[in-house]
Amino acid sequence: QLQLVESGGDSVQPGGSLRLSCTGSTHTLPLENYAVGWFRQAPGKEREGVSCINAKNMKGDEKKYEDSVKGRFTISRDNAKNTVYLEMNSLEPEDTAVYSCSADPLINCIWYKEDHFGAAWGQGTQVTVSS
């Protein structure tokens, strides 16, 4: 069963940058065969989808972004490292949240915000943006 581990969370000032990593376990199907989504949950708020990148064999737009992060966040893969990254620039206090990644081998990123997306989830990494 796929296991995911997030890392890269930290405390930064507004306008700062972070790169989050979501690494898949090595004894399962490589992460490139999964659509991988990044999600975040701020205190007192519901979890929201932030970005998603399709698996290599999925049709449609390869990457999706929530409107609030378009132009600031970039999702990418390094298949050699079995890792999906979320590069976050121009961070704002509103970006403060626990960020988690989830992977699905069958569901396209078109539906990554649906409740049934995600065969595996990571434990989350804290991002705090504050002056």
Side-chain angles (χ1 to χ4, degrees):
Q1 184 176 355
L2 177 68
Q3 295 179 322
L4 301 172
V5 177
E6 302 98 334
S7 61
D10 205 344
S11 294
V12 296
Q13 293 186 343
S17 299
L18 286 173
R19 188 178 74 165
L20 304 184
S21 300
C22 173
T23 301
S25 47
T26 56
H27 58 278
T28 58
L29 195 66
L31 204 54
E32 64 182 322
N33 297 286
Y34 294 78
V36 177
W38 279 100
F39 302 79
R40 65 186 180 186
Q41 187 165 20
K45 294 187 177 180
E46 293 188 355
R47 186 178 66 201
E48 67 170 345
V50 175
S51 183
C52 188
I53 185 167
N54 266 336
K56 62 179 180 178
N57 61 340
M58 291 179 176
K59 296 180 180 180
D61 292 341
E62 180 184 0
K63 301 176 183 179
K64 290 197 173 290
Y65 297 95
E66 177 69 18
D67 286 346
S68 63
V69 306
K70 283 181 180 177
R72 300 189 298 124
F73 291 11
T74 303
I75 193 169
S76 63
R77 290 184 183 271
D78 185 336
N79 293 331
K81 296 183 178 180
N82 209 33
T83 297
V84 170
Y85 299 105
L86 185 67
E87 185 79 32
M88 305 187 297
N89 297 313
S90 302
L91 283 163
E92 304 168 353
E94 294 73 23
D95 296 316
T96 296
V98 175
Y99 285 71
S100 302
C101 63
S102 180
D104 202 294
L106 299 176
I107 300 177
N108 192 295
C109 282
I110 295 174
W111 298 286
Y112 84 104
K113 295 183 181 181
E114 301 297 322
D115 289 343
H116 54 278
F117 180 92
W121 286 83
Q123 82 291 346
T125 186
Q126 176 70 46
V127 172
T128 302
V129 185
S130 173
S131 55

